[in-house]
């Protein structure tokens, strides 16, 4: 079993620090891809990369048995790191969502499986996926044809570092685990003008302010009270100097939902509100909408979830497994199960915080420039969890019932 003392001096800790120090954003993970591919080849896996998209797929064969896919995402975020850790990012990006832990944990799991190959039989397909943060990495990797040289899996398994469950523990839930997400980029175009004469033009900034306020009524006044949804405006860009009213303004609307009905309701409401406010302001040009991000619901197969929960409780103890509430964060992990027509299950593992940021209030979480997991706890927990579930799946207790 991996221990904290062993992690601190292990090659995995050094590997984690290297990934953390050199993060790369979505679809630009070239160094990361090359590093992973080399590590997998050193371990004797059948390795494939793509000429059209970043990411790696590696297959570890060990006789007859189930084909189990294990997935880790590899991209970072466009954030300037503020953690102060000795291995802080040396690029203009940051692993602020734990994907460096995910990569390291999957490689550590492969090492465990190789070391213990006398105890299991079957095939492991290791998926290192690009561009999860923009919601299109899984689809792009599948479309690239990278899986043509690898066996089709019977089940797809994945995990995410988390501050929502206690350090060294795990958690998940059956059925819907994570929300669907959509982002629309909205562009407003007018004539612009002098700030001293706003009556001679349509002030796009005032118009956008009215839109932003009105959008907040979608959840409170249009989504049924028994449903959960989030609507946020994440960016607004307009103007150059204070005495010019801009002739163009763009903003982005991000929405989270747990049913297709609410998802459609939100999209229709966003477009209705933007168009109505534009007309009320006298804007001549129609607002332009671009659907730039789309994440699917992340749904755990119920029967397979019970197998995963049993494996995790066996590894960590039932008292260290939490049945979590549905999460409004989103993931494109579910694209793999849907594409292959097989069950998929996703869970969280608690990482704690690095000592450099452990005393910050409030405690930093994912997508914060101050987020840094405790690397020793994170690696130990991630490897233990993924290995335990992989071995249970390889034992054949996950039935390879392909979805039709």
């Amino acid at each position: 079993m991996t221990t904290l003392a062993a992690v601190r001096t292990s090659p995995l800790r050094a590997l984690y620090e290297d990934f953390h120090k050199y993060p790369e954003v979505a679809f630009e993970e070239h160094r990361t891809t090359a590093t992973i591919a080399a590590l997998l080849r050193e371990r004797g896996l059948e390795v494939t990369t793509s000429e059209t998209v970043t990411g790696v797929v590696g297959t570890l064969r060990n006789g007859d048995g189930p084909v189990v896919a294990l997935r880790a995402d590899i991209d970072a975020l466009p954030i300037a790191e503020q953690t102060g850790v000795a291995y802080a990012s040396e690029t203009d990006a940051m692993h602020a969502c734990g994907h460096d832990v995910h990569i390291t944990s999957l490689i550590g799991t492969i090492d465990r499986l190789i070391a213990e190959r006398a105890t299991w039989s079957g095939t492991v397909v290791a998926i290192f996926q690009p561009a999860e943060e923009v919601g299109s990495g899984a689809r792009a990797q599948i479309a690239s044809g990278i899986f043509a040289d690898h066996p089709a899996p019977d089940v797809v398994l994945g995990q995410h570092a988390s501050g929502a469950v206690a350090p060294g523990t795990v958690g998940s839930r059956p059925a819907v685990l994570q929300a669907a997400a959509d982002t629309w980029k909205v562009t407003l175009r007018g004539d612009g003008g002098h700030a001293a004469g706003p009556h001679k033009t349509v002030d796009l900034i005032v118009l956008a302010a009215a839109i932003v306020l009105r959008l907040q009524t979608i959840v409170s006044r249009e989504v049924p009270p028994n449903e959960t949804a989030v609507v946020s405006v994440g960016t607004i860009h307009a103007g150059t100097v204070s005495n010019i009213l801009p002739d163009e303004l763009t903003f982005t609307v991000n929405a989270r939902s747990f049913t297709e009905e609410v998802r459609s309701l939100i999209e229709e409401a966003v477009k209705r509100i933007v168009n109505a406010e534009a007309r009320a302001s006298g804007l001549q040009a129609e607002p332009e909408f671009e659907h730039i991000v789309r994440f699917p619901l992340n749904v755990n197969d119920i029967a397979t979830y019970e197998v995963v929960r049993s494996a995790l409780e066996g590894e960590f103890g039932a008292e260290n497994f939490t049945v979590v509430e549905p999460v409004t964060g989103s993931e494109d992990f579910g694209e793999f199960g849907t594409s292959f027509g097989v069950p998929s299950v996703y869970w969280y593992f608690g990482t704690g915080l690095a000592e450099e940021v452990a005393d910050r209030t409030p405690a930093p979480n994912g997508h914060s420039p101050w987020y840094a997991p405790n690397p020793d706890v994170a690696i130990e927990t991630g490897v233990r969890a993924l290995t335990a579930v992989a071995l249970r799946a390889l034992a054949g207790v996950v039935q390879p019932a392909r979805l039709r």
Side-chain angles (χ1 to χ4, degrees):
M1 179 180 294
T2 307
T3 65
L4 288 179
V7 168
R8 291 189 187 101
T9 58
S10 76
L12 288 181
R13 172 65 185 263
L15 188 61
Y16 163 77
E17 292 185 3
D18 182 77
F19 285 125
H20 190 90
K21 188 180 291 188
Y22 302 106
E24 297 167 303
V25 297
F27 294 120
E28 297 180 13
E29 312 95 327
H30 301 291
R31 181 187 185 276
T32 305
T33 293
T35 301
I36 295 168
L39 290 166
L40 297 184
R41 289 190 178 103
E42 288 173 5
R43 288 157 171 77
L45 276 71
E46 303 165 19
V47 178
T48 306
T49 57
S50 169
E51 295 182 358
T52 61
V53 69
T54 45
V56 186
V57 178
T59 291
L60 174 64
R61 299 181 190 270
N62 191 35
D64 296 333
V67 179
V68 176
L70 308 177
R71 175 270 202 177
D73 39 13
I74 67 173
D75 57 321
L77 289 157
I79 294 175
E81 182 166 356
Q82 304 292 325
T83 63
V85 298
Y87 45 88
S89 171
E90 296 185 4
T91 76
D92 57 1
M94 177 188 175
H95 271 300
C97 199
H99 295 188
D100 45 356
V101 177
H102 303 169
I103 301 167
T104 307
S105 296
L106 180 46
I107 291 171
T109 295
I110 292 168
D111 287 343
R112 286 275 302 274
L113 292 172
I114 291 172
E116 301 175 18
R117 65 191 315 159
T119 67
W120 61 274
S121 180
T123 299
V124 174
V125 178
I127 302 171
F128 294 87
Q129 179 213 311
E132 180 276 332
E133 294 291 354
V134 296
S136 56
R139 291 195 301 273
Q141 191 173 37
I142 293 165
S144 75
I146 196 171
F147 292 99
D149 296 329
H150 299 269
D154 298 314
V155 65
V156 184
L157 305 167
Q159 60 181 6
H160 202 295
S162 175
V165 294
T169 73
V170 289
S172 188
R173 66 174 292 105
V176 176
L177 175 66
Q178 292 177 297
D182 297 278
T183 297
W184 300 274
K185 178 182 177 182
V186 182
T187 302
L188 306 174
R189 302 185 193 277
D191 295 327
H194 200 295
H199 59 293
K200 297 179 181 180
T201 187
V202 174
D203 188 338
L204 298 183
I205 292 177
V206 172
L207 169 56
I211 291 171
V212 170
L213 290 177
R214 182 75 178 186
L215 289 174
Q216 303 313 306
T217 67
I218 295 175
V219 173
S220 66
R221 290 297 179 268
E222 299 193 44
V223 174
N226 61 328
E227 298 279 2
T228 299
V230 180
V231 175
S232 301
V233 175
T235 65
I236 301 179
H237 297 286
T240 54
V241 294
S242 64
N243 64 344
I244 299 176
L245 299 181
D247 61 357
E248 181 176 309
L249 181 148
T250 63
F251 63 95
T252 53
V253 183
N254 182 266
R256 311 290 171 132
S257 56
F258 288 95
T259 67
E260 288 302 322
E261 292 77 14
V262 171
R263 190 175 201 171
S264 297
L265 181 157
I266 291 172
E267 180 170 10
E268 292 169 4
V270 167
K271 292 179 178 179
R272 186 191 73 243
I273 288 170
V274 171
N275 286 324
E277 291 290 352
R279 286 193 297 271
S281 294
L283 191 68
Q284 297 300 306
E286 292 288 326
E288 300 169 16
F289 297 88
E290 183 182 359
H291 200 159
I292 59 174
V293 174
R294 184 179 179 88
F295 283 87
L297 280 169
N298 191 8
V299 182
N300 282 338
D301 177 77
I302 294 175
T304 310
Y305 160 81
E306 293 298 337
V307 174
V308 169
R309 184 179 71 170
S310 175
L312 292 172
E313 289 182 346
E315 177 68 22
F316 294 93
E319 71 278 8
N320 291 316
F321 182 93
T322 301
V323 179
V324 300
E325 293 298 317
V327 177
T328 51
S330 302
E331 254 284 353
D332 65 351
F333 165 78
E335 298 280 6
F336 291 107
T338 300
S339 174
F340 293 124
V342 301
S344 63
V345 175
Y346 200 67
W347 65 89
Y348 298 107
F349 62 101
T351 65
L353 292 171
E355 61 182 14
E356 291 86 350
V357 298
D359 294 331
R360 287 192 65 86
T361 303
N365 212 325
H367 292 215
S368 164
W370 289 276
Y371 174 68
N374 181 314
D376 302 320
V377 173
I379 295 168
E380 181 204 21
T381 309
V383 172
R384 286 179 60 193
L386 195 56
T387 303
V389 176
L391 287 171
R392 185 67 61 89
L394 288 163
V397 292
V398 176
Q399 297 300 316
R402 294 184 177 275
L403 307 178
R404 299 296 181 187

